[in-house]
């Protein structure tokens, strides 16, 4: 008989040893440069998180960016903008890319900078010196000029909402060469210089006319350009009718304060727009944004409009996968998860906490997988009674109300292993900064030890570790049956679905980026 002291099973020496430490100082697995950059790209906001500040994140991103080839860096920037729906991270990656000898910058720029807000963000990053330079430079300047020349009048007007820098500052910096008298007049008007009024675009003429006399029709411009005027209820009704879906979602309380819902039939009209599945999909709204809009809406907003937000939520989570077999959902409800999901930022900290996101994503997955088991964890697994018939928002609120304690990522897996449970897929939603189950560096993490016990009974089982804040470490190594992904857009649901179905492997998160056409 073989000597059991020497020939240990998969549970022992064959498990991969940890090779770094997380932000709690506990042993962890370092992600590769590509994996880490991919996670920062869809979770990083350069604000202070529970364990790291914005400067730490930027420093980490700069270092990682120089470890990958420029082509991959450009693809990451595009993925962060188009799939992750991020704002700061894509333009920061572009700024870093602009300093490298590669045509990837010129190829990625139009895919990333599709709005005036992104354009101003790119210029702000470049001027800050945070990525190594304080001026635009020749190539970036030409790309900004090209954006201005391609932009429609409507895009130029939307870009004028916001400062530091303002669009006028950008125009003064890059000196675009107008291709027509209309565009020449528009640039001069935007920076407050003398211009030929007759040459202005019709939309700008309409705006100027309305500013002089509010009996004129309300122009179809960003409402922020009108709020300094003495607007009446009928003006606000027109503003709402002409506003985009995101504008409506973000300004329901403002509309209520200005009496629009007193207009007969308007609440029904607005509710129909908010609940329209096609408009929800085009808006690329995060599910958690809808949840918070629903929670923060004023009671003066009619119930049918509030209900429409919940209908929109169902659309926003429409691609949540239904996974066959035994599914286990493990939301992290420890103390660190009470921090804002997009980090602390003075004067603009989001009210959405990591635990809110974890609760929502768990509830969304449970909606499509009603037989799934939910094991919230902190120091240990926390018992929670969820009514499967409750709405997604109600279940998310119940999970988010737990909160507190240390982080022990191996706790749910230990419970499953001790029970000798049948397992096909386990999904963790966490910041992955486990420390209560810490083991000596170089040994397998507590999470991998317990996962090996589960795998011994469930050879086909798969593990997904969804990271909702960027720290570049994981408690799970990345063998074929473990997927480390990041973010909280609906893109992660697609990644989980393809991984669970066997259509992609552990490297799929990075491969999705690599497959981007640059």
């Amino acid at each position: 008989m073989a000597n059991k002291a020497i020939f240990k099973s998969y549970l022992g020496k064959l498990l991969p040893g940890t090779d770094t430490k997380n932000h709690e100082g506990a042993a962890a697995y370092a992600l590769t440069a590509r994996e880490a950059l991919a996670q920062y790209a869809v979770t990083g906001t350069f604000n202070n998180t529970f364990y790291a500040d914005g400067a730490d994140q930027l420093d980490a991103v700069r270092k990682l960016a120089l470890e990958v080839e420029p082509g991959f860096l450009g693809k990451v920037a595009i993925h962060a903008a188009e799939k992750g729906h991020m704002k700061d991270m894509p333009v920061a990656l572009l700024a870093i890319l602009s300093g490298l000898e590669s045509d990837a910058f010129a190829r990625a720029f139009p895919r990333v900078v599709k709005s005036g807000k992104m354009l101003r963000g790119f210029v702000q990053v470049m001027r800050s010196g945070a990525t190594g330079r304080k001026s635009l430079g020749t190539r970036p300047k030409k790309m900004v000029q090209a954006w201005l020349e391609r932009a429609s009048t409507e895009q130029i007007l939307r870009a004028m909402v916001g400062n530091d820098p303002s669009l006028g500052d950008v125009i003064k910096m890059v000196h675009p060469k107008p291709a027509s008298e209309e565009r020449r007049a528009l640039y001069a008007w935007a920076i407050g210089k003398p211009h030929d009024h007759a040459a202005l675009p019709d939309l700008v003429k309409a705006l100027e006319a309305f500013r002089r006399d509010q009996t004129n029709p309300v122009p179809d411009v960003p409402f922020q350009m009108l709020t300094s005027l003495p607007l009446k209820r009928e003006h606000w009704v027109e503003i709402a009718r002409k506003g985009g879906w995101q504008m409506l979602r973000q300004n329901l309380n403002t509309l209520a304060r200005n009496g629009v819902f007193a207009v007969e039939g308007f609440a029904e009209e607005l509710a129909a727009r908010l609940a329209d599945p096609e408009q929800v999909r085009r808006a690329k709204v995060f599910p958690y944004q809808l949840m918070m809009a629903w929670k923060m809406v004023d009671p003066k907003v009619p119930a049918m409009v509030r209900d429409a937000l919940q209908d929109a939520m169902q659309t926003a989570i429409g691609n949540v996968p239904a996974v066959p077999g035994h599914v286990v959902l493990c939301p992290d409800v420890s103390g660190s998860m009470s921090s804002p999901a997009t980090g602390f930022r003075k004067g603009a900290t989001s009210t959405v906490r990591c635990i809110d996101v974890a609760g929502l994503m768990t509830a969304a997955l449970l909606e499509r997988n009603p037989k799934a088991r939910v094991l919230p964890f902190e120091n240990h697994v926390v018992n929670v009674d969820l009514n499967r018939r409750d709405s997604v928002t109600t279940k998310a609120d119940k999970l988010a109300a737990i909160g507190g304690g240390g982080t022990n990522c191996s706790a749910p897996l230990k419970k499953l292993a001790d029970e000798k449970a049948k397992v096909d897929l386990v999904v963790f939603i966490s910041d992955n900064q486990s420390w209560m189950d810490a083991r000596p560096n170089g040994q397998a993490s507590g999470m991998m030890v317990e996962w090996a016990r589960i795998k011994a009974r469930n050879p086909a089982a798969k593990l997904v570790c969804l990271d909702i804040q960027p720290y570049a470490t994981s408690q799970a190594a990345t063998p074929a049956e473990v997927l480390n992904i990041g973010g909280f857009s609906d893109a992660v649901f697609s990644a989980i679905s393809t991984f669970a179905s066997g259509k992609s492997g552990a490297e799929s998160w990075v491969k999705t980026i690599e497959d981007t056409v640059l």
Side-chain angles (χ1 to χ4, degrees):
M1 181 178 290
N3 187 332
K4 293 182 180 179
I6 298 175
F7 298 100
K8 290 193 174 181
S9 71
Y10 180 60
L11 300 180
K13 291 183 177 180
L14 297 183
L15 284 174
T18 51
D19 53 10
T20 189
K21 291 186 177 181
N22 63 25
H23 284 269
E24 279 284 9
Y29 298 96
L31 301 178
T32 67
R34 288 186 167 213
E35 288 174 329
L37 193 60
Q39 293 216 5
Y40 272 108
V42 294
T43 59
T45 59
F46 301 123
N47 297 324
N48 296 345
T49 62
F50 188 86
Y51 292 107
D53 62 29
D56 290 338
Q57 287 189 44
L58 179 58
D59 186 53
V61 168
R62 276 197 304 247
K63 291 177 180 176
L64 291 167
L66 297 178
E67 292 183 41
V68 302
E69 64 274 19
F72 182 76
L73 183 58
K75 292 178 179 182
V76 172
I78 292 170
H79 182 84
E82 294 184 348
K83 302 297 184 183
H85 312 320
M86 304 297 284
K87 300 295 185 290
D88 294 342
M89 182 61 70
V91 295
L93 295 174
L94 268 187
I96 297 170
L97 187 58
S98 71
L100 304 179
E101 293 296 328
S102 169
D103 66 351
F105 169 71
R107 291 172 178 267
F109 189 96
R111 296 275 299 276
V112 172
V113 181
K114 291 184 177 179
S115 70
K117 184 175 183 179
M118 296 291 273
L119 182 81
R120 292 189 296 101
F122 172 73
V123 173
Q124 180 186 12
V125 172
M126 292 294 293
R127 289 200 312 170
S128 71
T131 59
R133 60 196 303 176
K134 289 193 175 182
S135 63
L136 285 179
T138 302
R139 286 198 304 163
K141 183 177 178 180
K142 286 182 178 179
M143 297 306 298
V144 174
Q145 288 174 336
W147 188 93
L148 290 168
E149 285 303 295
R150 288 194 307 269
S152 65
T153 299
E154 290 80 2
Q155 286 177 305
I156 293 290
L157 290 176
R158 286 197 293 270
M160 292 181 67
V161 176
N163 294 295
D164 195 25
S166 67
L167 185 69
D169 294 332
V170 175
I171 292 172
K172 291 174 185 176
M173 266 186 271
V174 302
H175 304 291
K177 296 176 175 57
S180 66
E181 287 306 310
E182 179 183 276
R183 188 49 61 107
R184 186 184 306 279
L186 178 60
Y187 289 153
W189 174 81
I191 61 177
K193 294 290 186 181
H195 56 274
D196 180 1
H197 183 271
L200 285 172
D202 290 341
L203 185 57
V204 178
K205 290 178 184 176
L207 172 59
E208 290 294 291
F210 186 77
R211 283 173 170 172
R212 291 191 299 269
D213 181 1
Q214 282 78 60
T215 62
N216 283 302
V218 178
D220 188 9
V221 299
F223 80 96
Q224 293 91 338
M225 303 183 86
L226 307 175
T227 51
S228 62
L229 303 172
L231 300 177
K232 297 179 181 179
R233 177 187 297 169
E234 55 266 29
H235 294 135
W236 281 102
V237 169
E238 277 303 298
I239 288 170
R241 283 184 170 141
K242 293 177 178 179
W245 192 94
Q246 288 279 30
M247 176 268 179
L248 295 176
R249 191 265 303 177
Q250 293 170 334
N251 293 280
L252 290 174
N253 292 347
T254 298
L255 295 175
R257 283 197 303 272
N258 287 281
V260 300
F261 295 115
V263 176
E264 185 176 355
F266 187 74
E268 290 85 350
E269 177 185 334
L270 196 61
R273 287 186 60 191
L274 286 173
D276 180 16
E278 185 54 37
Q279 292 196 48
V280 174
R281 282 188 283 269
R282 282 203 306 266
K284 297 180 180 179
V285 61
F286 282 127
Y288 82 81
Q289 290 173 321
L290 285 164
M291 180 179 74
M292 295 314 295
W294 178 77
K295 291 175 71 171
M296 298 180 69
V297 72
D298 194 289
K300 294 179 182 177
V301 174
M304 68 178 67
V305 176
R306 298 198 299 272
D307 291 344
L309 289 173
Q310 294 206 62
D311 292 338
M313 167 79 75
Q314 295 300 129
T315 299
I317 62 174
N319 66 339
V320 174
V323 181
H326 299 86
V327 178
V328 184
L329 307 173
C330 304
D332 183 347
V333 295
S334 64
S336 63
M337 296 289 284
S338 64
S339 64
T342 53
F344 297 95
R345 184 174 61 172
K346 187 176 181 180
T349 296
S350 169
T351 56
V352 183
R353 302 167 299 165
C354 292
I355 199 169
D356 294 316
V357 174
L360 175 59
M361 300 198 87
T362 302
L365 286 161
L366 189 60
E367 183 85 351
R368 293 298 307 280
N369 300 274
K371 294 184 179 180
R373 188 174 179 184
V374 180
L375 299 178
F377 69 94
E378 38 162 87
N379 303 7
H380 47 74
V381 173
V382 180
N383 291 324
V384 60
D385 183 22
L386 295 177
N387 186 335
R388 306 301 168 116
R389 295 186 178 183
D390 281 343
S391 67
V392 168
T393 47
T394 299
K395 288 196 284 280
D397 280 347
K398 185 171 286 190
L399 287 166
I402 302 172
T407 308
N408 183 356
C409 286
S410 64
L413 297 182
K414 185 177 187 304
K415 182 177 179 64
L416 293 170
D418 289 347
E419 293 177 357
K420 300 178 181 178
K422 290 183 178 179
V423 175
D424 293 299
L425 176 70
V426 180
V427 180
F428 273 76
I429 307 169
S430 171
D431 59 14
N432 286 306
Q433 299 300 295
S434 190
W435 56 275
M436 295 201 71
D437 54 351
R439 293 163 59 86
N441 203 19
Q443 293 186 14
S445 68
M447 192 172 184
M448 287 303 289
V449 169
E450 300 303 335
W451 179 242
R453 293 177 62 205
I454 291 173
K455 287 287 290 183
R457 287 185 167 273
N458 304 272
K462 294 185 176 183
L463 172 65
V464 174
C465 296
L466 173 57
D467 197 337
I468 57 178
Q469 285 199 325
Y471 294 119
T473 65
S474 176
Q475 290 301 299
T478 314
E481 77 278 356
V482 178
L483 175 66
N484 280 298
I485 60 175
F488 36 83
S489 75
D490 60 356
V492 303
F493 294 133
S494 297
I496 293 171
S497 178
T498 55
F499 178 68
S501 65
K503 296 177 182 177
S504 65
E507 75 291 344
S508 61
W509 188 240
V510 171
K511 191 174 185 305
T512 298
I513 296 174
E514 291 174 336
D515 289 344
T516 301
V517 177
L518 185 60

